[in-house]
Amino acid sequence: MLKEKYAKEIESLLARYPEDKKVSAILSLMHIAQKEYGYMSQEAKEEVADILGIDPTHVLSITGFYSLYYEEPVGEYVLEICNDLACALRGADEFIDMACQKLGVQKDEITPDGLFSIKNVMCLGACDRAPMLQCNLKFHEHLDEEKFDQLIDHYRQRAAEGDDRAHEVVDKILIETHH
Amino acid sequence: MSDLVTIFVDGIELQVEQGATVVDASKRVDVDIPVFCHHPKLEPVGMCRMCLVEIGMPMRDRATGEPVLEEDGSPQINWGRGLQTGCTVRVADGMRVRTTTDVVDEARENVIEFLLTSHPLDCPICDKGGECPLQNLTMAHGLGESAFDFDSKMQNEKHVPLGELIFLDRERCIQCARCTRFQDEIADDPVIGFHNRGRALEIVTLSDPGFDSYWSGNTTDICPVGALTTADFRFGARPWELIPVASISPHGPEGANITMSTRQEAKSGGRVVIKRIMPRQNELVNEIWISDHTRFVHHFADAADRLTKPLIRKGGVLVETDWDTALTTVAEKLQAAGSSAAGLSGDRPSNEDLFAFQKLFRQGLKSHHIDLAASRIAGGDVTAQVGIASGSNLLDLGRGDVIVVVASDLHEEAPIWWLRVKQAAERGAQLVVLNVRPTRLDKFATHLVHYPVGEAVATVRQLLGAAQISDGASDQIGKIAEAIVGATNVVAFYGYEGLTYAETDVLAKSLANLLQVKNSDGHSHVGRVNNGLIAVWPHNNTQGAWDMGIHPALAPGYQSVDQPGRSAAEIYSGVQDGTVQTLFVMAADPVGDGLMNGRGLLDFLVVQELFLTETAKVADVVLPAQSWAERDGTFTNGERRVQRYYPAIQPVGESRPDWQIIEQIGHKMGLDKPHFAASLVFKKGIAAGVPQYSDMDYRSIAKVEKQYPDVGGEDLYYGGTSYENKHGLGQQWTSAAESGDVAMFTVPDVTPSAAGALPVIRTAALYTPGTLINRSDVLSPRMAQPTLHLHAADADRLSIATGDAVIVSVNGQSLQLSAHVNGAAPQGLALINGVSYAAGVLDAKIETA
C-alpha cells in the first residue's frame, strides 16, 4: 500500500495544495505509484484515486494522456526511441530495428531478464542529434550500433550493482518532498 | 437581472444578458450557429470548432477613446484576423457577428469533413440515425464528398459496455466531451473520462459498477452522435417510427417531465409499447434531465404479470370474473359495511383516482376511515400554508439565498432536487444541511450539522429559538439562524430519514415557524416567490393525496372533518382485532410492506392493483387497474405543481382507470354516474371540491411558453434529444401565505423514538426493490441490496465483518442483510439500506446469521 509505504512523501505532497485542491498532487502521486508497481496497474490507479478521494477513472484518464505513465508493464529501463520525420531521415527506423534485434524483443515487449523494453515515441525535441533515445528521462544522442551496445552494457552493469528502479523523476520528487 | 448589451447578429439587433455566449445569444433571434461540443447547460470548451463565426467590434480612437465612424456615420468595425468560436466568446456591447459569409461556410465544411474522417457513417444501423446532430449538420453544412481516403478510417470497438446501462461505440465518438463534462459539472459523478489522445482518444470508466451514476442516461441524450446508447433502447426502434407522448415521471416527488416514445410493433403482438423514456424540457421542474430510475422504470407498464381481469375469491381461491360481478360484489359489501368501511391508498395514483377514492368513502359510505397505506412524512397541512410560493423556480436561487435541507438524502430520495439544490449552491446560495449522517449533499454545504441520533427535532427547535431571539450568538446554530433570517430567499426541504411520522410533523411546523421569522426589513420567508417549505415526499403524488383528502381528519382542500376517522395505523390494528371488517386497498401493498399481518379478521378485502401483490393474494376481490401509461390524469409534485400526463399505450387486458372503477362502484351504491373522462373528474370534482384547484382545468395545466435555453426544437444539435415541452408546464397552486399572513404553528411535543445500544435507521436508496422497479430487468444489477452499514468500531464490538450475513429484527420483522463495514455509517449508528420503509430510530437486534 502506497499510503503506508510512502506515508511521509504523500503527506508532504498533499500539503503543497489547498484543502479543496488536493487533486493537484495527482501527477506526483502517480509517479510514486509507478515507481512502486513498475507501471500504472489497476492497483496503482485505485490507490492513487483512494488517496485523493476521486474515481479511478480520473487516474486512468491521466495515465492515457501522458506518455510517461505506462499502462502495461515495462522493463526497468525503457528505451524510448523517436522516429518522427527528422529522426527517420537520420536512420532512426533502422536504428530501432537494430535495437530490437540486439535485445531480441519487438517494440513494447520486455526482455526476458525484465531489464529493457523498447518504445517508439513521438518527437523528443532532439532532431539534430538523431538517432537518439530517452532512457528513464535521460537523453542519449548521436547514437549508432556501437554506442547502443555500450549503453546496454552500462545499464546491465547498473542493474547488476543493484540500481533501485531507475525512475529518476520519482527520486527527484521524493528528494524534493524531503525538503 | 444582469445587465443587457446590444449586439448585431447577421444584421439583426438584439439585447442579451451580459455573459451570454455568442451561440446562445444568436439563438434568441433564431440564428442557429451549428455546434457539437457546446451545450447550453455546460461550460464552454471550444473543442469541436463547428461554431466558427466572424466577430467584429466597433473601433475606438486610441487617443480620444471616441468611436471611429465610417463616412456614412456608422461605426467602423474591426473584424479581427480570423474566425472565432461562437461558443466561447461572450457578447460585448456593439459586437457584430456574421454567420453566413463564405469564409464561415468554408470553415464549417472543413470541420464536418474533418470529423467524418474518423466517423464510421454507419447511420443505417445507428440508433441516433434520424435524430443525429452530426447527420443533420452534415446535410446542412457538409460538402458531400471528401478528400480523405476511406480505407484509412478508424476502426474501433463498437459494443463497449460502460456498465450495464450504457453502451459505447468507440468509432462513432467525435470527442466533444459533452458526456464527461455532464458527469463532471452537472451530475458530480466524474466516472467517465477521456483516455489517450488524438485519434486514439476514447471514453473509459473504471468505476464499480461501470459508469456508476444515477444520471448516465442523460449522456445519451446530449451525445451528438450515436456513440452512447442505453442498453434499454439500443437497436430497439428507429427514431422516426416513434410517437412521442408527454408524461410525468411515476416516481419521486419532483414530478420530472418526460416523453414516452411509443411504437406499435408486431413483436409485441401488435400492441403499442413504450420503447424509451426521454426527458421533456421544463425549466421549472427538471430542466432537461431525468434520473436513470425515471428513464428505465417504465417496464412495469408492459410487464407480463400485469392483472388483466377482475378476480374474485371462490372456494378459497381467486378466479377470474367479469367486471359487473366484481363491481356489484364490492358495492354490496361496502354498502353493508357503511360508515365502518375503511380505505387505504398508495400515494402513486392520480389526483382524479384519489379524489374519487375519498368521495366514495366520504359521500358514498359516510366514512372518514381513509388514509395513505404508508404514511411516512407529515406536513401536507403545513406546506398548504407556507409551502414554496407559486411562481418559484429553484433555478433562480443563488447568491444571497439560503437552502435548508433537513433529514433527507436528496440524492437518493429526490435526485432532481439534489441536482437543483447542488447547482443553487454552486451559484452561490448558502446551503444548510442538517442530518444524522453524511450524505452526498454535505460537500456542497455552507453549514453542515450532523446532529446526534434522536436529536433532529431538538436541533431544529434550537435553530428556531436562535432565529427568534437573533442575539447574534456565534455558535454554529446561531450563525445558521442568522444566515436564514437575513437571506433574500429561503427554501427549506425536510424529509423523514430516521424520523417517525410524529417527529416529521414537529419538523415541518418548526421549519414553518422558522421561515416565518421576520428579518429587520419585516420580510419573512413564506408567501414570497422563491421562498417556502418543501416536503420530500416519498412518491410522485403524495402531495396530491394530501390535497385530495386521503387523510382521516382532512377532507379535500385541507378542510377539517368533524369526526376524524381511523388512521392507517388504527386501521391496521382494527384489522387484527376485528374492529375493521371491510377494507379497500388501492395501489398499495401493506401486507408485502410488512404493515399489515395478512388479512387478520377482515370480513371483506378488496384490492385495486396492477399486480397480484401480497395484499391482493389474500383479497376477496381484486380489481385490475391501468398504469399511468395507459390513461391520462394529473399528479401534483412536491412544489404543488399540478401536471398532466397523457395516455401512451392501450390498456392491458380489461384493466380500467382507478377513478373509473371507483366511480362505477359508487354508481352501484347510488352515487352519480361515472364521468366519461379524467378531465371531467378534474373539472366537476376536483376543481369544484378542492378550493386550491378551483382556477385549474386540463387546459390551464397544459399551457406552455417559450423556454430558454431553447432545447428540443428541430435543431437537435444544440441541446440534445430531450423533447420540447408542447403539453404543459403545469400550474402551481397558491399557498395560504401568498394571500395573507398565516399564524405561527403550535408545535406539539414529541418523544424521540427510542434507541437501543446500537441505534439503527433505514436510509433510502433510489433503486430500492419494489413492486414497480422489480419489473425493470435493465436496473436489476443496480438494485440496492439489503445491507447493514456499520462503522468499523461498532462492527468490531459486534464481531461482524464486511460480507457477513446478519439478521436484524425490526418491529417484529426479521430482515436478512449483508453487512458492510466502513461504508457510510458514522460511529454509533447503523444504517439499513435496500429494504422497504421502517420509521424512526429503530431498536434493532443485530445477529450474525
Side-chain angles (χ1 to χ4, degrees), chain A residues 42 45 55-57 60-61 64-67 71, chain B residues 190-197 204-207:
Chain A
Q42 181 67 19
K45 287 184 284 232
D55 194 88
T57 311
L60 171 62
S61 200
F65 187 84
Y66 292 106
S67 55
E71 300 201 57
Chain B
V191 295
I192 53 172
F194 274 178
H195 186 235
N196 292 330
R197 284 179 285 171
V204 289
T205 179
L206 272 190
S207 66

mmCIF file of all heavy atoms in Angstrom, chain A residues 42 45 55-57 60-61 64-67 71, chain B residues 190-197 204-207:
data_model
loop_
_atom_site.group_PDB
_atom_site.id
_atom_site.type_symbol
_atom_site.label_atom_id
_atom_site.label_comp_id
_atom_site.label_asym_id
_atom_site.label_seq_id
_atom_site.Cartn_x
_atom_site.Cartn_y
_atom_site.Cartn_z
ATOM 1 N N GLN A 42 -3.814 -1.558 -12.254
ATOM 2 C CA GLN A 42 -5.140 -1.298 -11.688
ATOM 3 C C GLN A 42 -4.998 -0.889 -10.216
ATOM 4 O O GLN A 42 -5.593 0.069 -9.753
ATOM 5 C CB GLN A 42 -6.002 -2.560 -11.824
ATOM 6 C CG GLN A 42 -7.420 -2.429 -11.306
ATOM 7 C CD GLN A 42 -8.267 -1.470 -12.139
ATOM 8 O OE1 GLN A 42 -7.931 -1.157 -13.293
ATOM 9 N NE2 GLN A 42 -9.352 -0.996 -11.571
ATOM 10 N N LYS A 45 -3.705 2.618 -9.873
ATOM 11 C CA LYS A 45 -4.731 3.628 -10.154
ATOM 12 C C LYS A 45 -5.708 3.745 -8.992
ATOM 13 O O LYS A 45 -6.074 4.837 -8.571
ATOM 14 C CB LYS A 45 -5.471 3.267 -11.451
ATOM 15 C CG LYS A 45 -4.619 3.495 -12.697
ATOM 16 C CD LYS A 45 -5.384 3.236 -13.971
ATOM 17 C CE LYS A 45 -5.537 1.763 -14.226
ATOM 18 N NZ LYS A 45 -5.104 1.317 -15.563
ATOM 19 N N ASP A 55 -12.547 9.246 -8.402
ATOM 20 C CA ASP A 55 -12.830 7.983 -9.052
ATOM 21 C C ASP A 55 -11.602 7.518 -9.822
ATOM 22 O O ASP A 55 -10.901 8.333 -10.430
ATOM 23 C CB ASP A 55 -14.014 8.148 -10.006
ATOM 24 C CG ASP A 55 -14.573 6.808 -10.441
ATOM 25 O OD1 ASP A 55 -15.449 6.291 -9.729
ATOM 26 O OD2 ASP A 55 -14.116 6.272 -11.483
ATOM 27 N N PRO A 56 -11.304 6.202 -9.800
ATOM 28 C CA PRO A 56 -10.132 5.709 -10.538
ATOM 29 C C PRO A 56 -10.162 6.059 -12.027
ATOM 30 O O PRO A 56 -9.111 6.121 -12.681
ATOM 31 C CB PRO A 56 -10.182 4.188 -10.346
ATOM 32 C CG PRO A 56 -11.315 3.886 -9.441
ATOM 33 C CD PRO A 56 -11.969 5.158 -9.016
ATOM 34 N N THR A 57 -11.371 6.317 -12.564
ATOM 35 C CA THR A 57 -11.466 6.716 -13.972
ATOM 36 C C THR A 57 -10.607 7.952 -14.242
ATOM 37 O O THR A 57 -9.988 8.079 -15.298
ATOM 38 C CB THR A 57 -12.928 7.036 -14.331
ATOM 39 O OG1 THR A 57 -13.757 5.973 -13.879
ATOM 40 C CG2 THR A 57 -13.092 7.207 -15.819
ATOM 41 N N LEU A 60 -7.061 6.894 -14.598
ATOM 42 C CA LEU A 60 -6.897 6.217 -15.881
ATOM 43 C C LEU A 60 -6.782 7.239 -17.009
ATOM 44 O O LEU A 60 -5.965 7.122 -17.921
ATOM 45 C CB LEU A 60 -8.084 5.273 -16.125
ATOM 46 C CG LEU A 60 -8.190 4.642 -17.509
ATOM 47 C CD1 LEU A 60 -6.979 3.761 -17.812
ATOM 48 C CD2 LEU A 60 -9.462 3.827 -17.641
ATOM 49 N N SER A 61 -7.643 8.249 -16.924
ATOM 50 C CA SER A 61 -7.694 9.273 -17.940
ATOM 51 C C SER A 61 -6.340 9.980 -18.064
ATOM 52 O O SER A 61 -5.837 10.209 -19.165
ATOM 53 C CB SER A 61 -8.778 10.271 -17.520
ATOM 54 O OG SER A 61 -9.193 11.004 -18.603
ATOM 55 N N GLY A 64 -3.589 7.788 -19.560
ATOM 56 C CA GLY A 64 -3.646 7.694 -21.017
ATOM 57 C C GLY A 64 -3.154 8.951 -21.696
ATOM 58 O O GLY A 64 -2.684 8.925 -22.830
ATOM 59 N N PHE A 65 -3.264 10.071 -21.002
ATOM 60 C CA PHE A 65 -2.919 11.341 -21.633
ATOM 61 C C PHE A 65 -1.414 11.547 -21.730
ATOM 62 O O PHE A 65 -0.906 12.022 -22.730
ATOM 63 C CB PHE A 65 -3.555 12.495 -20.855
ATOM 64 C CG PHE A 65 -3.407 13.823 -21.521
ATOM 65 C CD1 PHE A 65 -4.298 14.222 -22.519
ATOM 66 C CD2 PHE A 65 -2.368 14.683 -21.192
ATOM 67 C CE1 PHE A 65 -4.159 15.438 -23.159
ATOM 68 C CE2 PHE A 65 -2.230 15.912 -21.828
ATOM 69 C CZ PHE A 65 -3.132 16.288 -22.814
ATOM 70 N N TYR A 66 -0.695 11.178 -20.677
ATOM 71 C CA TYR A 66 0.751 11.419 -20.652
ATOM 72 C C TYR A 66 1.519 10.163 -21.044
ATOM 73 O O TYR A 66 1.252 9.084 -20.536
ATOM 74 C CB TYR A 66 1.187 11.873 -19.261
ATOM 75 C CG TYR A 66 0.663 13.241 -18.892
ATOM 76 C CD1 TYR A 66 -0.369 13.387 -17.985
ATOM 77 C CD2 TYR A 66 1.201 14.375 -19.470
ATOM 78 C CE1 TYR A 66 -0.853 14.644 -17.649
ATOM 79 C CE2 TYR A 66 0.722 15.637 -19.149
ATOM 80 C CZ TYR A 66 -0.301 15.760 -18.236
ATOM 81 O OH TYR A 66 -0.765 17.000 -17.913
ATOM 82 N N SER A 67 2.494 10.353 -21.920
ATOM 83 C CA SER A 67 3.191 9.180 -22.439
ATOM 84 C C SER A 67 4.159 8.576 -21.431
ATOM 85 O O SER A 67 4.620 7.468 -21.604
ATOM 86 C CB SER A 67 3.921 9.544 -23.735
ATOM 87 O OG SER A 67 4.765 10.644 -23.485
ATOM 88 N N GLU A 71 0.846 2.027 -19.172
ATOM 89 C CA GLU A 71 -0.362 1.280 -18.847
ATOM 90 C C GLU A 71 -0.119 -0.213 -18.826
ATOM 91 O O GLU A 71 -0.945 -0.976 -18.336
ATOM 92 C CB GLU A 71 -1.452 1.615 -19.864
ATOM 93 C CG GLU A 71 -1.747 3.095 -19.823
ATOM 94 C CD GLU A 71 -3.090 3.423 -20.398
ATOM 95 O OE1 GLU A 71 -4.074 2.864 -19.900
ATOM 96 O OE2 GLU A 71 -3.138 4.191 -21.363
ATOM 97 N N PRO B 190 -17.891 12.131 -11.720
ATOM 98 C CA PRO B 190 -16.913 12.075 -12.824
ATOM 99 C C PRO B 190 -16.367 10.661 -12.999
ATOM 100 O O PRO B 190 -15.194 10.412 -12.779
ATOM 101 C CB PRO B 190 -15.829 13.062 -12.381
ATOM 102 C CG PRO B 190 -15.961 13.146 -10.898
ATOM 103 C CD PRO B 190 -17.328 12.723 -10.506
ATOM 104 N N VAL B 191 -17.230 9.760 -13.413
ATOM 105 C CA VAL B 191 -16.837 8.350 -13.502
ATOM 106 C C VAL B 191 -16.588 7.903 -14.932
ATOM 107 O O VAL B 191 -16.360 6.726 -15.186
ATOM 108 C CB VAL B 191 -17.906 7.430 -12.860
ATOM 109 C CG1 VAL B 191 -17.996 7.694 -11.367
ATOM 110 C CG2 VAL B 191 -19.266 7.625 -13.514
ATOM 111 N N ILE B 192 -16.679 8.821 -15.883
ATOM 112 C CA ILE B 192 -16.225 8.510 -17.234
ATOM 113 C C ILE B 192 -15.185 9.568 -17.599
ATOM 114 O O ILE B 192 -15.253 10.694 -17.114
ATOM 115 C CB ILE B 192 -17.360 8.471 -18.283
ATOM 116 C CG1 ILE B 192 -18.187 9.760 -18.243
ATOM 117 C CG2 ILE B 192 -18.250 7.262 -18.087
ATOM 118 C CD1 ILE B 192 -19.199 9.850 -19.388
ATOM 119 N N GLY B 193 -14.242 9.173 -18.431
ATOM 120 C CA GLY B 193 -13.192 10.128 -18.766
ATOM 121 C C GLY B 193 -12.597 9.829 -20.129
ATOM 122 O O GLY B 193 -12.853 8.790 -20.728
ATOM 123 N N PHE B 194 -11.800 10.791 -20.606
ATOM 124 C CA PHE B 194 -11.056 10.605 -21.846
ATOM 125 C C PHE B 194 -9.810 9.785 -21.555
ATOM 126 O O PHE B 194 -9.159 9.976 -20.536
ATOM 127 C CB PHE B 194 -10.598 11.964 -22.387
ATOM 128 C CG PHE B 194 -11.613 12.661 -23.247
ATOM 129 C CD1 PHE B 194 -11.350 13.919 -23.759
ATOM 130 C CD2 PHE B 194 -12.817 12.053 -23.563
ATOM 131 C CE1 PHE B 194 -12.270 14.563 -24.570
ATOM 132 C CE2 PHE B 194 -13.741 12.693 -24.379
ATOM 133 C CZ PHE B 194 -13.467 13.954 -24.872
ATOM 134 N N HIS B 195 -9.464 8.929 -22.485
ATOM 135 C CA HIS B 195 -8.259 8.135 -22.344
ATOM 136 C C HIS B 195 -7.499 8.230 -23.654
ATOM 137 O O HIS B 195 -8.088 8.138 -24.728
ATOM 138 C CB HIS B 195 -8.655 6.678 -22.045
ATOM 139 C CG HIS B 195 -7.486 5.802 -21.749
ATOM 140 N ND1 HIS B 195 -7.247 4.650 -22.436
ATOM 141 C CD2 HIS B 195 -6.501 5.919 -20.845
ATOM 142 C CE1 HIS B 195 -6.139 4.077 -21.961
ATOM 143 N NE2 HIS B 195 -5.681 4.827 -20.984
ATOM 144 N N ASN B 196 -6.186 8.429 -23.560
ATOM 145 C CA ASN B 196 -5.332 8.642 -24.732
ATOM 146 C C ASN B 196 -5.649 9.958 -25.429
ATOM 147 O O ASN B 196 -6.509 10.708 -24.973
ATOM 148 C CB ASN B 196 -5.413 7.473 -25.713
ATOM 149 C CG ASN B 196 -4.779 6.228 -25.111
ATOM 150 O OD1 ASN B 196 -3.864 6.334 -24.307
ATOM 151 N ND2 ASN B 196 -5.286 5.068 -25.483
ATOM 152 N N ARG B 197 -4.973 10.186 -26.537
ATOM 153 C CA ARG B 197 -5.093 11.477 -27.194
ATOM 154 C C ARG B 197 -5.320 11.303 -28.685
ATOM 155 O O ARG B 197 -5.121 10.236 -29.240
ATOM 156 C CB ARG B 197 -3.817 12.293 -26.971
ATOM 157 C CG ARG B 197 -3.726 12.881 -25.599
ATOM 158 C CD ARG B 197 -2.452 13.643 -25.446
ATOM 159 N NE ARG B 197 -1.304 12.768 -25.302
ATOM 160 C CZ ARG B 197 -0.052 13.193 -25.325
ATOM 161 N NH1 ARG B 197 0.213 14.458 -25.509
ATOM 162 N NH2 ARG B 197 0.931 12.346 -25.178
ATOM 163 N N VAL B 204 -13.680 6.129 -21.268
ATOM 164 C CA VAL B 204 -13.475 4.959 -20.422
ATOM 165 C C VAL B 204 -14.142 5.174 -19.066
ATOM 166 O O VAL B 204 -14.443 6.299 -18.670
ATOM 167 C CB VAL B 204 -11.972 4.694 -20.173
ATOM 168 C CG1 VAL B 204 -11.299 4.198 -21.426
ATOM 169 C CG2 VAL B 204 -11.293 5.955 -19.647
ATOM 170 N N THR B 205 -14.370 4.073 -18.369
ATOM 171 C CA THR B 205 -14.834 4.152 -16.995
ATOM 172 C C THR B 205 -14.135 3.071 -16.194
ATOM 173 O O THR B 205 -13.856 1.995 -16.703
ATOM 174 C CB THR B 205 -16.356 3.979 -16.877
ATOM 175 O OG1 THR B 205 -16.718 4.039 -15.485
ATOM 176 C CG2 THR B 205 -16.831 2.647 -17.451
ATOM 177 N N LEU B 206 -13.811 3.375 -14.955
ATOM 178 C CA LEU B 206 -13.221 2.383 -14.060
ATOM 179 C C LEU B 206 -14.066 2.227 -12.810
ATOM 180 O O LEU B 206 -13.699 1.518 -11.885
ATOM 181 C CB LEU B 206 -11.812 2.813 -13.640
ATOM 182 C CG LEU B 206 -10.645 2.399 -14.515
ATOM 183 C CD1 LEU B 206 -9.348 2.710 -13.802
ATOM 184 C CD2 LEU B 206 -10.687 0.924 -14.868
ATOM 185 N N SER B 207 -15.199 2.933 -12.761
ATOM 186 C CA SER B 207 -15.991 2.874 -11.532
ATOM 187 C C SER B 207 -16.594 1.479 -11.394
ATOM 188 O O SER B 207 -16.676 0.724 -12.350
ATOM 189 C CB SER B 207 -17.085 3.936 -11.542
ATOM 190 O OG SER B 207 -18.031 3.656 -12.551
#
